[in-house]
Amino acid sequence: MRKYLIAGNWKMNAGPAEGKQKAEELAKTWSGKNLTNEALICPPFVTISAVQSQFSSTSLLTGAQNVSDQDEGAYTGEVSINMLKDAGCSHVIVGHSERREMYGEDSALVAAKAKKVIDANLKAIVCVGEKLESRKANEQENVVRKQLDAVLETISAGDADKIVIAYEPVWAIGTGETATPDQAQSMHQFIRARVEEKWGKDAADSMQILYGGSMKPGNAEELLSQPDVDGGLIGGASLEPDSFSEIIEIAENLS
Ligand code: PEP
């Protein structure tokens, strides 16, 4: 039976006070309930501990949206993997398209960050996905293959269980436009096949591959029902505790 990961990315929303309130609402819903799947919130760095303390009576997890590729020292404004581990994070998102686009993170840097996460024994959620012009030119698989290979070639197959891939077509992030279930399934199948080519069948079969891009309660069931969709990376809808809980519930009902 597959285990879904329902991951919320709050982006640059919700400071400690607001984040605590949202986490409290989620904790009320999930306190004392054992989840079959995994559910995770990735708040801004400064909000991690406020969320974490609300989640202590639940099986909800806390993660981060980014990490430095350096360990410690004179890197003003950066946050290291050991700091995130110390703060109780289980997962770290790396290579979100907003970081690739707005902060110039290339695939080599994303792979280096993923390696830091894995070496610290946390899970890296590696985001890949094409822009609209690539999709229009039918180049989406080439784009995703290159992004994926950078990570698969930096990390060894023995660490496959510490990698989660999030397929996030850039044209579907925060736009209200969602990939059709067929488009999502087809790319997830492609990603799994690539993982199999590089790391073998066991790693590919057990790899969690999430879909991200305007997932919400109204479309989650159809997307999560696809054979190769193992969860969601959810931006906008994760900021509303009721919507996020509904998606967690949908995943629970499907497993
Ligand atoms: C994201 O930020 O990763 C994302 C998928 O955002 P949204 O759900 O708002 O499209």
Side-chain angles (χ1 to χ4, degrees), residues 26-105:
L26 286 169
K28 253 188 226 153
T29 306
W30 297 104
S31 177
K33 293 184 190 153
N34 275 331
L35 288 173
T36 306
N37 298 298
E38 294 171 311
L40 167 80
I41 290 289
C42 300
F45 291 134
V46 293
T47 307
I48 289 172
S49 78
V51 169
Q52 176 88 31
S53 56
Q54 294 303 312
F55 285 178
S56 56
S57 63
T58 73
S59 48
L60 301 172
L61 303 168
T62 317
Q65 300 171 19
N66 187 24
V67 65
S68 175
D69 63 328
Q70 302 296 324
D71 290 328
E72 67 175 343
Y75 300 100
T76 302
E78 292 289 280
V79 172
S80 75
I81 191 61
N82 283 338
M83 294 172 188
L84 296 176
K85 193 173 182 174
D86 195 13
C89 291
S90 58
H91 293 69
V92 181
I93 299 171
V94 296
H96 191 282
S97 62
E98 288 155 13
R99 296 222 54 90
R100 290 181 192 259
E101 276 301 293
M102 296 182 221
Y103 300 97
E105 295 195 8

Side-chain angles (χ1 to χ4, degrees), residues 9 11 96 98 168 172-176 212-215 233-237:
N9 172 16
K11 311 193 186 190
H96 191 282
E98 288 155 13
E168 300 207 300
I173 297 178
T175 58
S214 300
M215 188 185 272
L233 181 55
I234 300 145

Side-chain angles (χ1 to χ4, degrees), residues 84-168:
L84 296 176
K85 193 173 182 174
D86 195 13
C89 291
S90 58
H91 293 69
V92 181
I93 299 171
V94 296
H96 191 282
S97 62
E98 288 155 13
R99 296 222 54 90
R100 290 181 192 259
E101 276 301 293
M102 296 182 221
Y103 300 97
E105 295 195 8
D106 61 15
S107 288
L109 179 60
V110 172
K113 289 183 173 198
K115 182 142 175 44
K116 284 285 170 209
V117 177
I118 284 157
D119 288 348
N121 252 322
L122 272 65
K123 289 196 180 183
I125 302 178
V126 179
C127 301
V128 296
E130 80 286 358
K131 294 190 213 164
L132 188 57
E133 59 262 33
S134 303
R135 166 81 43 183
K136 281 188 175 154
N138 203 25
E139 278 298 312
Q140 64 272 16
E141 290 187 352
N142 287 336
V143 171
V144 168
R145 185 194 299 108
K146 280 191 197 133
Q147 293 171 337
L148 195 57
D149 282 0
V151 171
L152 299 179
E153 282 159 13
T154 303
I155 284 146
S156 63
D159 284 324
D161 60 334
K162 297 189 204 104
I163 290 277
V164 175
I165 307 292
Y167 169 56
E168 300 207 300

